[in-house]
Amino acid sequence: MQNTRRDVIKALAALPLVRFQGSDPDLVLHNGTVYTGTSSGPEITAIAVRDGRILGIGTDKEILGSAGRKTRRVDLARKRVMPGFNDAHAHPWAGGLDQLKSVACDKTSIEEIQAALRTRAAATPPGRWVQGYLYDDGKTPRPLTRSDLDAAVPDHPVIVTHRGGHTGYANSLALATAGATATPPDPPGGRFEHGPDGQLDGRVADKAMAAVLDKIPDDSTRDDHRRAVALISKLYASYGVTSACEADATPDGLQGYQDARDAGELKYRAYCLMNVEFLDRYIAAGLHTGFGDSMVRIGGIKQYADGSISERTAWLAEPYVGIPNYFGVESGTRESLYENSRKAWGAGFQLATHANGERAIDRILSVYEQLSREAPRRDPRFRIEHCTVVTPELIARIRNVGAIPVPFAGYVNFHGDVMHFYGDERTNRMFAYRSFIDAGLRPPTSSDYTASPPSPMLWLYSMTTRMDPAGHVWGAAQRITLAEAGRSATLDGAHASFEEHEKGTIEPGKMADLVVLSEDPWAVPAEHWQKIKPERTMLGGQWVY
């Protein structure tokens, strides 16, 4: 068998630390406190890096002793070092496009949002759309309405999308442009909301939102897609995130990633779940999971079985608390989910399906189970994106079919303001890290950016405390330890993309992706964790932040 560069480096690292001609480390990091992510052993304080990979780890004496005349040395001043974090489900490319073109509406009052939209409208040519993004109805005194948007901008079509990406808030002109009358029928997989007077209140969910967004001309250029990736890449590096799963890429988005990589602007490794709409094009081109390189790689095929947790459109088994007879939104029939999955599976793709509520999870599990009978694979790693509301029976089926749940890591804290729609009993079965880990599963961490910030310290806090900003604990039974959360945020993210042998831990032979933190979460109280910042982020042996 032909040896890879990783094999050679790992073999050298296993030898006693003696100097080999031409094998000196490029870089030695020393005087650190290193969380390797592997099984416990002697304290590691130093790391040797060569050709973008980890050459060796050990004590300062051992690793500094391997340094050569040209080796760069960095004193870490006893700071905590961790493997680079992995955001296993996010939308950085789409978030970057929004940042280039839309108004940020992450504000705490309706009046602030109206003012921002008015300012944008004043600079927008007549007839052109005004778009807002990052809105969160859990963080304003009440939700936006059509009347609020009409008052702010009456002479342009306006839509403000929720940061979760499944609902929007439209003014009258936008609804009219989309052909929505006073009582439009709900499209399959969507919902037009009405106020107490029976009139449209402006809120549009899932496929109903898509009906409005489809009316907006897409004038994005190839360079816009590159710029979008580059823009959010800087944000991710500042958080210490060195790998991310782009959760719904189109061919344009994939091109944007490739262009940003080629321009030296991509600062994290992207595993791209590809939008199912273009499945026939991927198959005709011979693409499949794993195609690409260490920076931009084709992942699975992305489909949707329901809506959103933060926006209350997930398809639940029981009604939402305080919303009688409302179970959420069903997206994707069983027939369509199976047919797309069968085609993608046969072409060599991993399958990745968005499913939040019990009904949606049950539906996609039945598809995965059928495929396992019809065309079994040794290591399928079916993905259930979000996999939020579960039962013991569902968890057993997830384990038996070899699936990976990909939960929201920071939602209990960041979206604690809407957890009351689910209630205390149900939140003991949501974001179920404890139950997943106890069942032998390997759940990674995810932000679903822009739905929540790509902040690993937020993830660790939320997963271990289950506490919202008001101090309420939602689902205490699902708390996990800091060590478990650290593994989910690093190695288990790599496992979800078949890359656990390349990254996710600090050990010889793996890529030198790591973060140096300003403080040690193992040494300070949990309530202080969200104040901890990355001081440096390394990707492939190079500092990118």
Side-chain angles (χ1 to χ4, degrees):
M1 179 184 295
Q2 184 177 4
N3 287 329
T4 66
R5 182 176 62 177
R6 177 180 178 272
D7 295 328
V8 172
I9 291 176
K10 194 165 187 177
L12 287 174
L15 296 173
L17 283 167
V18 297
R19 184 82 48 79
F20 292 94
Q21 183 67 32
S23 67
D24 292 342
D26 300 322
L27 172 69
V28 163
L29 309 176
H30 63 97
N31 193 27
T33 306
V34 181
Y35 168 85
T36 64
T38 61
S39 57
S40 59
E43 182 183 21
I44 301 300
T45 60
I47 304 167
V49 175
R50 181 176 174 82
D51 293 334
R53 290 184 178 264
I54 297 169
L55 180 62
I57 60 175
T59 65
D60 286 358
K61 181 178 180 181
E62 291 169 333
I63 299 302
L64 284 170
S66 72
R69 183 169 53 84
K70 296 183 179 180
T71 300
R72 290 176 290 121
R73 299 163 175 81
V74 175
D75 187 334
L76 297 173
R78 300 299 299 164
K79 294 295 173 65
R80 172 64 73 178
V81 181
M82 294 186 69
F85 293 108
N86 192 318
D87 192 348
H89 179 112
H91 302 271
W93 156 67
L97 284 176
D98 282 335
Q99 190 166 333
L100 290 175
K101 297 176 177 293
S102 301
V103 179
C105 293
D106 52 343
K107 306 180 190 308
T108 57
S109 76
I110 302 294
E111 292 75 20
E112 288 179 282
I113 294 169
Q114 288 176 313
L117 294 171
R118 284 193 194 99
T119 299
R120 175 60 63 88
T124 301
R128 299 292 296 272
W129 284 73
V130 173
Q131 295 174 256
Y133 81 118
L134 284 181
Y135 175 60
D136 188 340
D137 66 333
K139 295 174 176 54
T140 50
R142 58 170 178 79
L144 273 172
T145 66
R146 175 167 63 101
S147 297
D148 294 327
L149 298 174
D150 286 346
V153 184
D155 51 354
H156 291 269
V158 176
I159 186 164
V160 175
T161 53
H162 192 284
R163 69 183 305 145
H166 287 256
T167 57
Y169 298 79
N171 72 351
S172 295
L173 192 52
L175 292 169
T177 301
T181 63
T183 56
D186 287 337
R191 182 178 172 94
F192 289 101
E193 297 282 358
H194 295 75
D197 60 358
Q199 300 298 307
L200 292 172
D201 66 7
R203 188 174 187 263
V204 288
D206 289 287
K207 294 296 177 63
M209 180 180 72
V212 178
L213 294 176
D214 285 347
K215 298 299 180 181
I216 304 175
D218 183 4
D219 58 358
S220 298
T221 66
R222 176 172 172 173
D223 196 54
D224 288 335
H225 294 290
R226 176 197 61 77
R227 292 170 59 213
V229 171
L231 185 63
I232 305 303
S233 187
K234 294 177 182 178
L235 174 70
Y236 268 62
S238 74
Y239 277 112
V241 176
T242 57
S243 291
C245 175
E246 173 59 61
D248 202 4
T250 66
D252 285 339
L254 183 63
Q255 185 70 66
Y257 271 104
Q258 293 169 330
D259 289 346
R261 175 202 60 200
D262 294 346
E265 298 171 317
L266 183 57
K267 300 180 186 298
Y268 60 85
R269 304 184 191 279
Y271 184 74
C272 297
L273 303 184
M274 303 305 295
N275 185 293
V276 70
E277 180 181 345
F278 304 93
L279 177 58
D280 289 341
R281 286 176 58 180
Y282 312 144
I283 295 173
L287 298 178
H288 54 76
T289 296
F291 191 89
D293 59 24
S294 66
M295 289 301 296
V296 182
R297 195 179 302 279
I298 298 286
I301 291 297
K302 173 69 177 296
Q303 297 187 83
Y304 291 85
D306 70 344
S308 160
I309 289 294
S310 62
E311 298 155 273
R312 288 86 65 203
T313 61
W315 191 26
L316 305 179
E318 300 293 334
Y320 284 79
V321 175
I323 314 178
N325 302 314
Y326 174 63
F327 297 85
V329 174
E330 170 190 2
S331 296
T333 65
R334 207 278 182 184
E335 293 73 21
S336 66
L337 289 169
Y338 169 75
E339 183 57 26
N340 288 329
S341 297
R342 182 193 62 78
K343 288 173 62 177
W345 190 245
F349 281 100
Q350 184 187 34
L351 302 180
T353 308
H354 168 120
N356 270 301
E358 304 102 316
R359 291 185 177 186
I361 296 168
D362 170 72
R363 173 167 287 178
I364 196 56
L365 276 173
S366 75
V367 171
Y368 291 168
E369 290 160 346
Q370 182 175 348
L371 288 172
S372 291
R373 293 190 299 270
E374 295 172 347
R377 286 186 194 169
R378 183 182 60 82
D379 186 13
R381 301 196 200 186
F382 299 111
R383 292 173 57 127
I384 305 177
E385 307 302 311
H386 312 318
C387 199
T388 301
V389 189
V390 294
T391 64
E393 294 75 19
L394 289 174
I395 293 172
R397 290 170 64 193
I398 292 168
R399 182 186 63 240
N400 290 341
V401 82
I404 299 171
V406 186
F408 302 108
Y411 262 36
V412 170
N413 184 259
F414 189 78
H415 285 300
D417 39 37
V418 297
M419 289 299 109
H420 63 90
F421 287 106
Y422 300 94
D424 284 300
E425 185 281 326
R426 191 157 34 195
T427 52
N428 270 307
R429 299 184 286 110
M430 294 173 64
F431 325 112
Y433 279 96
R434 177 77 279 144
S435 295
F436 291 144
I437 292 171
D438 287 349
L441 299 171
R442 300 181 63 175
T445 52
S446 74
S447 71
D448 201 24
Y449 179 80
T450 57
S452 71
S455 168
M457 291 301 114
L458 166 67
W459 306 343
L460 301 183
Y461 178 82
S462 190
M463 296 159 75
T464 58
T465 70
R466 303 283 295 199
M467 187 177 294
D468 71 14
H472 188 94
V473 174
W474 298 98
Q478 295 299 337
R479 287 171 170 157
I480 60 175
T481 68
L482 178 56
E484 290 169 328
R487 176 188 169 102
S488 289
T490 53
L491 183 59
D492 290 340
H495 172 261
S497 60
F498 298 93
E499 297 173 293
E500 69 271 23
H501 299 298
E502 289 289 305
K503 61 187 183 182
T505 56
I506 296 175
E507 56 182 320
K510 287 197 173 180
M511 293 184 284
D513 300 349
L514 54 85
V515 58
V516 181
L517 300 176
S518 61
E519 294 182 78
D520 185 355
W522 275 270
V524 297
E527 53 267 24
H528 188 75
W529 290 353
Q530 293 192 66
K531 297 178 182 177
I532 297 175
K533 305 296 182 185
E535 289 193 346
R536 296 182 180 221
T537 302
M538 176 178 286
L539 182 72
Q542 301 296 319
W543 299 115
V544 293
Y545 176 77

